[in-house]
Amino acid sequence: MAPIAVSPGELDKRKIVGVNAETVTNVTSTDFPGHYPGEDHAWDIKSFSNLFSIKFYKNDRYDASFSLIGIDASIANAFRRILLAEIPTLAIEHVFVHNNTSIVQDEVLAHRLGLVPLTGAAEGLKWIRYYPKQAEGDSALGAADYNTVVLKLHLECTTNPDAKKGEDDPLKRYHNAHVYAHHLTWEPVGRQTTMFPEPDGVIRPVNPDILLAKMRPGQVIDLEMHCVKGLGADHAKFSPVCTASYRLLPTIDITKPILGPDAKKFARCFPKGVIGIEEVSEAEARIEGSGYEGHAGEKKAVVVNAFRDTVSRECLRHDEFVSKVKLGRVRDHFIFGIESTGQYDSDALFLESVKVLKAKCTDLKRDLGNIMR
């Protein structure tokens, strides 16, 4: 028997997750073989290519927002988890304290340094390899120019002889009263000079104004730091993103007219720009059964931009709106937000997550092939 043809409208309706006052309905994907008798929902690369699309809303260097349309939640969530924990970055791992007479304890200062985001030439960062794991009890360091980047910090606080008498501002009264990230200096080793060329490719903090410590005259901080490549799954300092998240596209369906004062009240239930106020036209008022008969010229509520809705369900708290509106989300429309810590551009981060997922699939396919031999 030939597969039953399904209208595009029916398929779109099946993709809507219902958002009610107390419950969420229709949350499970149903577009797989066998769920609907007589319908063919076998996955096909051609149909997937036709339905899948990407739409960008913002593409700043460290902040991107875009939609992935036409994929399953498992794939979207895989990208999110990879962005958080499986894209390698460079961070401070070992801190050798030669002298620290500031009030910040050695281990606290080392922890603060580890969380400072670093950046440098993209090709150089890819060239850096993982630091070799040491056997238990092995004290020898396996540091080399291809797996370790050295940073140094040597700063002493002194009194400013040119400061005015009675000056209260420590930044004017003393030299080096505040220790910032820009005080970290990179010490290139071996081929690193070539891989991280000056001026824009050198290893440096993303934000030079991160405050690390405060000192007073006579206090000194003298450190050497070794940076290695790692994954966010091992420690959050290696995560390349401040945050990587997604949400489903909201839908707002006004099923019955909302007129007059109720229209303004309805608009106030949503973030600004989601609901607009328009006049009922003469043509609409003449349509029998539209609900606008006899209301020409009155104000009505219309959906302007559902994308901006936060789905707070505030409108469902008011009895006059419960039967007039349906809220939902589109199950296969994922709105991603990626904020980079600075080592990668935000749009490049998503491409890196695709590469990681592709590599995982390749490994799985190879392993399955070995099992079948």
Side-chain angles (χ1 to χ4, degrees):
M1 186 178 71
I4 298 174
V6 185
S7 66
E10 175 62 24
L11 290 175
D12 290 340
K13 187 185 298 184
R14 292 176 183 177
K15 294 178 181 179
I16 302 300
V17 177
V19 179
N20 309 311
E22 301 291 342
T23 60
V24 180
T25 58
N26 195 30
V27 297
T28 307
S29 297
T30 58
D31 53 346
F32 54 84
H35 186 84
Y36 293 101
E39 296 182 15
D40 181 18
H41 290 285
W43 192 86
D44 177 71
I45 184 64
K46 184 177 180 180
S47 60
F48 172 77
S49 300
N50 292 334
L51 295 173
F52 177 71
S53 62
I54 300 176
K55 182 179 180 182
F56 265 85
Y57 307 107
K58 180 169 63 172
N59 191 17
D60 297 338
R61 185 173 184 184
Y62 298 138
D63 189 7
S65 177
F66 57 91
S67 283
L68 298 182
I69 306 168
I71 63 171
D72 189 76
S74 59
I75 304 300
N77 196 47
F79 287 136
R80 183 191 66 85
R81 292 172 65 93
I82 290 170
L83 284 164
L84 290 170
E86 297 188 55
I87 296 177
T89 63
L90 193 72
I92 295 171
E93 177 72 0
H94 304 290
V95 179
F96 302 93
V97 182
H98 302 308
N99 191 11
N100 176 24
T101 56
S102 72
I103 63 170
V104 183
Q105 298 94 330
D106 293 354
E107 57 272 24
V108 175
L109 183 57
H111 183 265
R112 291 180 65 83
L113 290 166
L115 294 174
V116 174
L118 304 174
T119 188
E123 290 303 316
L125 293 171
K126 292 179 181 178
W127 170 74
I128 292 288
R129 303 178 196 173
Y130 287 100
Y131 190 84
K133 292 185 178 180
Q134 297 174 248
E136 188 174 351
D138 184 5
S139 59
L141 293 176
D145 63 344
Y146 54 81
N147 62 27
T148 304
V149 172
V150 178
L151 299 177
K152 291 188 177 180
L153 172 62
H154 181 81
L155 217 60
E156 180 178 359
C157 181
T158 58
T159 301
N160 180 9
D162 299 325
K164 296 179 181 179
K165 187 176 181 180
E167 177 64 64
D168 294 329
D169 186 351
L171 296 178
K172 297 179 180 178
R173 188 173 180 179
Y174 311 118
H175 292 303
N176 301 325
H178 291 181
V179 183
Y180 292 102
H182 66 254
H183 289 125
L184 303 179
T185 58
W186 173 49
E187 298 287 332
V189 179
R191 292 165 287 177
Q192 292 179 2
T193 306
T194 304
M195 301 307 299
F196 300 99
E198 296 184 357
D200 298 327
V202 299
I203 298 295
R204 63 197 184 280
V206 174
N207 187 341
D209 298 323
I210 297 175
L211 182 63
L212 301 175
K214 294 183 179 182
M215 297 193 297
R216 290 298 179 264
Q219 296 180 347
V220 180
I221 295 179
D222 185 9
L223 311 170
E224 180 174 314
M225 295 145 280
H226 288 187
C227 312
V228 301
K229 182 181 280 190
L231 299 175
D234 297 326
H235 195 288
K237 67 184 177 183
F238 292 114
S239 180
V241 294
C242 304
T243 183
S245 62
Y246 62 76
R247 62 187 178 99
L248 296 177
L249 177 70
T251 63
I252 305 169
D253 184 16
I254 298 176
T255 58
K256 296 180 182 178
I258 301 175
L259 303 168
D262 280 353
K264 295 181 179 180
K265 181 179 179 180
F266 184 73
R268 290 195 296 270
C269 294
F270 296 85
K272 188 176 180 181
V274 175
I275 302 297
I277 306 296
E278 296 180 0
E279 286 189 359
V280 178
S281 66
E282 293 286 349
E284 289 174 320
R286 286 195 297 268
I287 299 175
E288 188 175 346
S290 66
Y292 295 119
E293 300 97 322
H295 295 286
E298 291 188 28
K299 302 295 184 181
K300 66 172 182 177
V302 295
V303 180
V304 176
N305 188 2
F307 178 91
R308 302 179 65 176
D309 187 25
T310 57
V311 196
S312 67
R313 298 187 262 197
E314 171 66 19
C315 63
L316 300 181
R317 296 179 62 246
H318 304 277
D319 294 336
E320 60 267 40
F321 301 139
V322 172
S323 63
K324 297 181 178 181
V325 64
K326 287 185 178 180
L327 304 180
R329 288 184 182 271
V330 182
R331 189 188 297 112
D332 67 346
H333 188 135
F334 299 88
I335 305 168
F336 269 80
I338 299 177
E339 295 180 30
S340 171
T341 58
Q343 201 160 121
Y344 293 87
D345 289 351
S346 55
D347 56 350
L349 273 172
F350 181 72
L351 296 178
E352 290 295 321
S353 72
V354 174
K355 292 177 184 177
V356 172
L357 184 58
K358 184 178 179 180
K360 287 174 175 283
C361 294
T362 301
D363 291 343
L364 178 61
K365 184 178 179 180
R366 184 190 62 246
D367 293 342
L368 288 174
N370 293 335
I371 292 174
M372 298 302 292
R373 288 177 181 173

